[in-house]
Amino acid sequence: MCGIVARIGEGDDAVDELLAGLTNLEYRGYDSAGIAVQNGCGVGVRKRAGGIDDLRNALATDGPSGSVGIGHTRWSTHGPPTDANAHPHTDCDGDVAVVHNGIIENYDELRRTLSKAGHAFESDTDTEVIPHLIESALADGASPAAAFRAAVDRIEGSYAVAAVIGGREAVYAARNDSPLVVGEGESAQYLGSDVPAFLEFTERVAYLEDGDVVRVTPGGFTVTDADGERVQRTTETVDWDPQDTGKGGYDHYMLKEINEQPTALGRSVSGRTDPDAGAIDLDGFPPGTFEGIERVHLVAMGTSYHAAMYAESLLARRDVPARAFMASEYAMSPPPEEDGTLVIAISQSGETADTIGAVRAARAERTMVVTNVVGSSLTRECDDTLLVRAGPEIGVAATKSFSSQVATLSLLAERIRRDVVGSPSPDSRAFLSALSDLPDHVRRVVEGTAAEEVADAFTDSEAYFFIGRGPGHAVALEGALKFKEITYEHAEGFTAAELKHGPLALVTEDTPVFAVFNGSEGDTETLGNVKEIRARGGPVIAVASGDAPDLGDAVDRVLPVPATHPDLVGVLANVQLQLVAYHAAKRRGRSIDKPRNLAKSVTV
Ligand code: F6R
């Protein structure tokens, strides 16, 4: 949450590039935004509550200029989204400006000490202590670099922080438990909370480590580690296309990303399986990798947690004991240490604080992360990394990352099964062949969907329920999450059997129920549950493949998906539910890509 960008160059004005970076980072937080530009002698700051466009408008009439600057887009933690609480924050003289992502845990104590020493504060934020700490170290005679290091040494908590200091053609930055990457350009250098922040200017990136402090000048950057020792952080070239981070002609990133799922899935699966030979080739996980593993714990939050639940079903079908945990709960009370436990963290961003907490708390033999982001924090925390290769996801609502997570996890489940049980699962060739067909099946769903019509038919309902079994339960929860987060309507997911144990009391003719059929065992029981809903007047929309039982007139509508292996029907059903949520939100005029109160990357 919160996005940081910095541009350090010569000559050209930094403001346009900072605004471009902030626009690319806006998905991380969009309560308020600001920039500070170093103009050779002083620091000019502009900041506004609201989105990047509000800041852009403010700059159009009266903006600072300079070749070195920092920018920030905020998701509030300390204090409401006001002009005063927007970043950058400055010291007493306005000579030092700082942007920050994370939480300073000891800010209260620091603020009291600084106030007693005569520093004046103007915001409710924890961040504001940092420029005052730098100011006080400068006043004691420290050089800018030493003053920045002294400030960083006094703060506790999670931070990615960047500062400009009047008269210095440099940006000083540090990271601890919050992401920060350096972009190495030809005529300018960059810092960003993630690569898309500066991808249109350079594809050369260096990932910083926790504890790193970096000084970036127009000519390059130098890094010192937590002990103050000079260290090298290697620069690599990322292969993301800057076009991938644009809307590509779609009204919303979410719709673009839903449509990108065939390509994303193709990337997740390609080169990793040979259905004819029944082979799996997971980079870095050759046969035998998981010998000795006796149980799998899957830890994740939100949509990634639903992918974890889905994977739990896939592993169970393959006779591998597995359990999905909400990462925040796992972190609080991790299961006792036992030989043979593999913890798999699942995270699109690789930066989710709750999931990092779970990995740190885990008492496991091995940890691995299944993530979309190369070089993200979880890739450093875990023993191994498996990339889902979905490509950049900008819409706050996760879509293509879920499909790619499930596809990747399904391959991983089969790999683990072979190592743990000693043989492929009985229908593994059929599964691998269906996995190769998955991109095409998703394309057929996206092209032929009646989701808009269904969304339009139920615009005035009181609540929206989603039910399913096994992987279909994970999809029901995900369908409800997507629907509530972008429509702001009450939506809830249940196991199909759970309804009659309580939630059925909520069912009326004003509560449409989306029922996910897996195309396998359990569907007959789900049909029984659907009949119980209809008997109470509840409208039912089935999301079902041709392998589902004959639904006859037991349901009001059907959103069909192609018949495929039962392990993968849920991915197709989920695409239908993504599209229903999208159209329902669009009809209501919601802020689809940036729903209220949310941010994409939950790093606090
Ligand atoms: C919902 C959504 C969130 C994330 C969750 C975990 O659409 O995007 O629920 O899934 O915050 O994020 P990652 O996967 O980055 O760990």
Side-chain angles (χ1 to χ4, degrees), residues 300-305 346-352 355 378 393 395-399 401 405 478 481-482 485 599-602:
M301 298 303 291
T303 292
S304 295
Y305 172 66
I346 303 160
S347 174
Q348 187 285 128
S349 61
E351 301 294 349
T352 299
T355 310
L378 275 163
E393 189 177 68
V396 164
T399 52
S401 61
Q405 283 170 340
E478 175 56 13
L481 174 62
K482 218 84 310 176
E485 77 174 317
K600 181 134 192 91
S601 193
V602 188

Side-chain angles (χ1 to χ4, degrees), residues 295-583:
R295 74 197 63 75
V296 176
H297 292 168
L298 302 133
V299 296
M301 298 303 291
T303 292
S304 295
Y305 172 66
H306 300 147
M309 287 178 63
Y310 201 124
E312 177 189 87
S313 293
L314 299 183
L315 283 159
R317 267 177 48 80
R318 287 167 172 77
D319 298 322
V320 178
R323 222 178 124 191
F325 295 84
M326 198 77 90
S328 53
E329 302 306 300
Y330 194 90
M332 223 169 358
S333 38
E337 186 163 356
E338 281 179 289
D339 287 344
T341 303
L342 168 68
V343 167
I344 305 179
I346 303 160
S347 174
Q348 187 285 128
S349 61
E351 301 294 349
T352 299
D354 290 316
T355 310
I356 295 173
V359 167
R360 287 184 181 163
R363 294 182 272 201
E365 194 162 311
R366 278 174 67 181
T367 57
M368 65 178 287
V369 61
V370 175
T371 183
N372 196 28
V373 181
V374 185
S376 54
S377 297
L378 275 163
T379 64
R380 289 146 211 276
E381 293 286 339
C382 294
D383 299 324
D384 296 298
T385 297
L386 181 61
L387 293 172
V388 303
R389 306 172 175 166
E393 189 177 68
I394 309 292
V396 164
T399 52
K400 64 176 179 174
S401 61
F402 177 83
S403 300
S404 288
Q405 283 170 340
V406 172
T408 308
L409 286 163
S410 70
L411 271 174
L412 181 63
E414 184 60 29
R415 165 83 282 135
I416 295 175
R417 143 89 196 198
R418 291 176 184 193
D419 286 351
V420 170
V421 178
S423 60
S425 54
D427 58 354
S428 85
R429 276 179 196 249
F431 157 71
L432 292 177
S433 151
L435 196 58
S436 301
D437 293 340
L438 191 60
D440 190 48
H441 286 159
V442 169
R443 187 171 295 113
R444 279 164 56 193
V445 171
V446 173
E447 284 171 5
T449 186
E452 184 168 5
E453 201 185 308
V454 168
D456 285 353
F458 298 101
T459 42
D460 299 321
S461 304
E462 272 171 21
Y464 300 79
F465 299 134
F466 298 75
I467 60 168
R469 287 189 146 69
H473 177 217
V475 171
L477 296 187
E478 175 56 13
L481 174 62
K482 218 84 310 176
F483 200 89
K484 74 180 81 160
E485 77 174 317
I486 61 168
T487 66
Y488 314 156
E489 300 286 351
H490 178 210
E492 265 190 90
F494 305 101
T495 64
E498 194 183 346
L499 281 191
K500 55 181 174 286
H501 297 282
L504 202 53
L506 297 171
V507 169
T508 69
E509 66 216 17
D510 285 327
T511 58
V513 180
F514 291 84
V516 178
F517 288 85
N518 295 318
S520 64
E521 68 279 3
D523 278 356
T524 313
E525 287 78 3
T526 302
L527 184 56
N529 303 128
V530 159
K531 288 180 179 158
E532 289 154 11
I533 295 163
R534 289 293 293 297
R536 273 108 193 140
V540 175
I541 305 99
V543 191
S545 79
D547 290 333
D550 182 10
L551 299 172
D553 57 6
V555 299
D556 296 81
R557 283 163 196 266
V558 180
L559 286 168
V561 300
T564 185
H565 190 278
D567 283 355
L568 301 172
V569 173
V571 175
L572 303 176
N574 188 58
V575 173
Q576 289 283 23
L577 296 179
Q578 291 170 349
L579 285 158
V580 171
Y582 173 80
H583 289 294

Side-chain angles (χ1 to χ4, degrees), residues 227-250:
D227 302 322
E229 299 296 327
R230 187 83 174 261
V231 282
Q232 288 295 330
R233 298 289 173 231
T234 43
T235 306
E236 52 192 87
T237 302
V238 293
D239 62 359
W240 287 2
D241 183 343
Q243 297 297 325
D244 288 353
T245 57
K247 274 197 208 149
Y250 288 92

Side-chain angles (χ1 to χ4, degrees), residues 238-260:
V238 293
D239 62 359
W240 287 2
D241 183 343
Q243 297 297 325
D244 288 353
T245 57
K247 274 197 208 149
Y250 288 92
D251 286 348
H252 297 97
Y253 282 110
M254 183 182 179
L255 187 60
K256 175 182 173 242
E257 287 158 4
I258 290 172
N259 276 273
E260 279 172 352

